[in-house]
Amino acid sequence: MTGTTEDYAPHPHIGGRTAALRALAAWRAAAPGAPRVVVLTGDAGSGRSRLLTGFLMLCEPEYRKRLPLDAMDPSTVPPELPPPAVPSAEGLTAAQVLWLIADHFGLRATGVEGVYAELAALEESVTVVVPDVDRAGPVRAADEPARLVREVLAPLAATETVRLMAEVPRPLAAELAEGLPPGTAQIIDLDAPEWADPDVLVRFAQAALNPEFGAPELPFTVDPAVRLALGAAIGRRAGSPLVVQLAVNCVLMAPEGFDPADERFLPTSVGAALDLHARRLGTDSQTLRMLLAPLALAEAEGIPVQLWARLASAVAGHDMSPAIAGGMLLAGPFVQPEEVPGSDADSDGADEGRTLLRLLHPALAEEIRAGLPNVAAAQTQIAMSLLEAVPEQDWGKADPYVRDHIAGHTLEAGLLPQLLTDPGLFVHADPVPLRAAVEAVPLEQLGAPARTYLRTAPLLTRTQAPAELRAAFLETAFVEDGLPEYAEAIRERLGLELPWQTLWSLPVAGVSAVTVGTLPGTEGAAATPVAVLVVPPGTPGARPVGAAGAEGGESGPAALVHGLVQPGLLDDADLGRIVRPSEEERAAAPLGLSRGGDYLRVWNRADQEVVAALISDTPFTAADLSPDGILLVATERGAKALRIRAAGAEIAS
């Protein structure tokens, strides 16, 4: 079924799919009887992304001007309306997609539930189109598409003021529509008979072979009769638009000896495209699949070209360099290279102008992964090879792909908890994919350092902090969590200039005020710098303050006295003998302190330059700064002291 007639021109980008376009146009127009929620699905490679792209062209005013609307079937053209929100899910977490939607509509909510409440309270409905759900997430093995459907798309679908369309993998399509009132949702499965369009495959193949659309001039592309016959044969045999694309790629990239009249080498599936291309080039299919295996197991945008031979050899168990050296004719039809400009401030130039390799489509990855004897074992070999590629085991010198994505490989190998013991990795890895990978591990399997990283990661991603600042966040967090050896490793081993040193942390709840001071020594002994923490009465080790203390009661505030520089409570310290800095001493100090709702700033009095700006994952409750630059801070978690380095504007936790 095609749904087309000879009276109308097909959509120039899609070449057909008229029945599906009619349904999408009716949804967009909110026509009587049209569903409020449309779930677009189909097998990987079925053309759902192409269909959605073509439809969105009709929803975007600038693209509409370039399309032959007057020649197209009016029932496939939606009315001209303001463009919908289109937050692509590719590479994003569920939370990131939700906040893209919130930002698009100017919502003021600060929490997830508030987003849905604000949307539900809108006077007019809003339209949201979410493509690429199958490509969601910074780490493949974390199964972000399922989380996106359950935590974001399902609540959106249940919100009556939201008209939602989502491009969803088939296993999740029914789940998204489940539970909605009858008539609310429609599933458009492009592989189902009522939506399939076999003719579109023929037209797609014939266009892809046409030199007018970029095909090279070859005997079977310049001769119209031969080209049309070959395109018809490819489209007739192919099961999906992806198979058409692969078939065309194979004959155009390696045309030598190809006979357009011989249909034996025209594939019917993704797997057949791999096998037939290898056979036509005189190579066994397993060699081709091993060449492509690292790309099928890759994270993010793909692997750097210089790592390809190393990782292919690791998966295959033998040297694949000779095959790769002459393998682009073999692998080329299935690979998409991408030149990436340098943009990583932490890479010291390692990320400048490199080439990444990725497979042409996720369905290729599925096919190759399905043929591996053991995916976890293959990922183990890749992870080990990536570890060996870290120069001197210094993560600061590692290739950006290695440091940022080794966690994704070890997650699928089942080895991630063993990796999460190196503070260098915590500091240098991109916190977005590392956080996603760590969050995918059951909490009980994580060691103490990984748990510290996990609770600190929201700050790392929120601030988009560079390596020095990530080190600073983590140095403080390790001290707070009683892991001083990890804090020391960050300070001593990584060679980074931290903006401060965390001297100590005291996990005590309810600190409402703090002050620095000195406790005079006795019998000529030196004075002791101290921190006074005002805490709730009854806090272990605390003593009543002021009148309550004089009367022996415990209804008023209490205080703890702690060493300002050296950790440890001073249980026998006399509160009455503690000397606070005078206003003159504070005014003469080289550093000053300012406080906002969720930040602290330390600035140089000489030039007013901010030398440290602190934020925290828990609210600040109090702060004070000693004349010699030791910052005393209290949050809901407790109190801590940091020696500020008066150089460079930084942010700390």
Side-chain angles (χ1 to χ4, degrees):
M1 169 180 174
T2 67
T4 62
T5 72
E6 296 181 358
D7 297 331
Y8 300 111
H11 190 299
H13 179 75
I14 303 170
R17 298 286 192 189
T18 304
L21 275 176
R22 284 173 177 159
L24 300 186
W27 166 83
R28 177 69 169 137
R36 181 173 57 79
V37 176
V38 168
V39 183
L40 185 61
T41 191
D43 288 335
S46 62
R48 59 180 189 248
S49 295
R50 189 178 186 86
L51 170 63
L52 188 54
T53 299
F55 174 70
L56 289 174
M57 290 177 177
L58 294 166
C59 300
E60 169 58 49
E62 288 304 313
Y63 274 105
R64 284 176 68 98
K65 296 176 183 177
R66 308 175 198 173
L67 298 174
L69 301 185
D70 293 341
M72 294 171 59
D73 184 340
S75 66
T76 67
V77 180
E80 188 166 5
L81 297 168
V86 188
S88 174
E90 182 171 4
L92 301 184
T93 65
Q96 287 174 315
V97 173
L98 179 64
W99 290 111
L100 282 179
I101 295 170
D103 289 344
H104 180 89
F105 294 115
L107 306 184
R108 298 181 179 180
T110 57
V112 170
E113 295 305 320
V115 172
Y116 300 120
E118 282 196 48
L119 288 172
L122 295 175
E123 294 183 1
E124 297 183 359
S125 64
V126 294
T127 306
V128 179
V129 178
V130 184
D132 303 319
V133 171
D134 60 328
R135 303 188 187 208
V139 176
R140 183 185 53 251
D143 199 16
E144 199 68 27
R147 183 178 293 115
L148 176 58
V149 167
R150 292 162 190 163
E151 297 180 6
V152 176
L153 299 185
L156 286 176
T159 304
E160 295 186 359
T161 55
V162 176
R163 300 189 60 78
L164 175 67
M165 180 188 298
E167 178 205 345
V168 176
R170 184 181 287 113
L172 296 170
E175 183 175 342
L176 179 54
E178 202 172 72
L180 296 175
T184 300
Q186 179 182 30
I187 296 177
I188 297 178
D189 187 333
L190 294 185
D191 295 305
E194 63 267 34
W195 306 111
D197 187 352
D199 291 344
V200 77
L201 302 181
V202 172
R203 288 191 290 271
F204 180 26
Q206 291 171 338
L209 291 167
N210 195 331
E212 291 185 8
F213 300 113
E217 294 188 355
L218 298 165
F220 51 83
T221 63
V222 296
D223 185 321
V226 176
R227 180 179 67 243
L228 293 176
L230 176 58
I234 290 174
R236 184 174 63 252
R237 291 176 61 83
S240 69
L242 175 61
V243 177
V244 169
Q245 184 179 7
L246 296 179
V248 171
N249 284 358
C250 289
V251 300
L252 294 184
M253 290 190 183
E256 291 78 9
F258 174 70
D259 181 359
D262 185 353
E263 296 189 6
R264 292 178 303 159
F265 289 102
L266 301 183
T268 57
S269 66
V270 171
L274 291 164
D275 299 339
L276 292 174
H277 183 66
R279 188 193 310 168
R280 192 164 66 84
L281 269 60
T283 305
D284 65 283
S285 177
Q286 188 64 11
T287 296
L288 174 57
R289 290 170 180 263
M290 285 297 101
L291 282 177
L292 299 178
L295 308 184
L297 299 169
E299 294 290 334
E301 292 84 13
I303 63 171
V305 66
Q306 68 270 19
L307 290 177
W308 186 17
R310 170 191 286 270
L311 300 185
S313 300
V315 176
H318 59 268
D319 186 10
M320 294 289 289
S321 300
I324 285 179
M328 279 316 293
L329 268 186
L330 182 63
F334 312 99
V335 173
Q336 181 177 337
E338 182 177 357
E339 297 297 327
V340 179
S343 59
D344 191 332
D346 293 344
S347 65
D348 296 326
D351 197 26
E352 291 183 7
R354 58 189 188 140
T355 301
L356 298 180
L357 299 178
R358 65 190 299 180
L359 290 178
L360 201 62
H361 194 278
L364 273 166
E366 292 178 14
E367 170 65 27
I368 294 166
R369 288 163 62 90
L372 293 173
N374 187 319
V375 170
Q379 287 284 34
T380 298
Q381 295 305 314
I382 284 181
M384 295 301 103
S385 184
L386 292 176
L387 278 174
E388 293 170 0
V390 179
E392 304 167 12
Q393 292 304 294
D394 182 347
W395 291 101
K397 299 177 181 178
D399 181 274
Y401 181 87
V402 177
R403 68 162 193 251
D404 295 340
H405 299 297
I406 191 171
H409 292 282
T410 54
L411 174 64
E412 194 163 24
L415 301 174
L416 182 56
Q418 292 92 305
L419 183 70
L420 300 177
T421 58
D422 189 336
L425 177 65
F426 292 148
V427 166
H428 288 290
D430 183 339
V432 172
L434 182 55
R435 175 187 179 183
V438 178
E439 286 179 339
V441 178
L443 193 61
E444 63 272 13
Q445 295 181 18
L446 296 177
R451 294 183 185 218
T452 295
Y453 181 85
L454 195 59
R455 78 166 179 84
T456 312
L459 277 182
L460 307 184
T461 55
R462 168 186 164 192
T463 59
Q464 298 182 334
E468 288 80 4
L469 191 48
R470 294 197 292 265
F473 279 121
L474 289 163
E475 186 263 0
T476 294
F478 283 132
V479 173
E480 289 177 332
D481 291 353
L483 299 170
E485 66 276 20
Y486 284 87
E488 183 178 0
I490 288 176
R491 290 193 298 266
E492 303 297 331
R493 285 177 24 208
L494 303 188
L496 298 173
E497 291 289 334
L498 301 190
W500 70 89
Q501 176 184 349
T502 307
L503 300 176
W504 53 265
S505 176
L506 185 66
V508 57
V511 180
S512 58
V514 298
T515 187
V516 300
T518 56
L519 186 63
T522 58
E523 300 179 357
T528 302
V530 297
V532 180
L533 316 176
V534 178
V535 294
T539 298
R543 285 166 291 165
V545 176
E551 297 169 5
E554 290 195 359
S555 59
L560 291 170
V561 181
H562 192 282
L564 182 60
V565 179
Q566 299 298 325
L569 290 170
L570 304 177
D571 296 329
D572 57 351
D574 183 349
L575 288 172
R577 297 184 65 238
I578 294 175
V579 180
R580 275 72 169 175
S582 66
E583 291 302 318
E584 291 78 10
E585 288 175 308
R586 291 185 183 275
L591 300 177
L593 175 65
S594 302
R595 179 178 171 184
D598 60 353
Y599 68 88
L600 300 171
R601 288 196 179 113
V602 179
W603 42 275
N604 193 322
R605 293 184 186 275
D607 56 12
Q608 304 298 303
E609 180 182 357
V610 174
V611 298
L614 289 76
I615 61 172
S616 175
D617 58 346
T618 55
F620 291 112
T621 57
D624 196 12
L625 181 66
S626 74
D628 58 349
I630 295 178
L631 181 62
L632 181 61
V633 178
T635 69
E636 294 177 353
R637 182 177 289 112
K640 58 190 175 187
L642 301 94
R643 187 187 300 277
I644 301 297
R645 295 174 58 95
E650 304 288 350
I651 301 176
S653 167

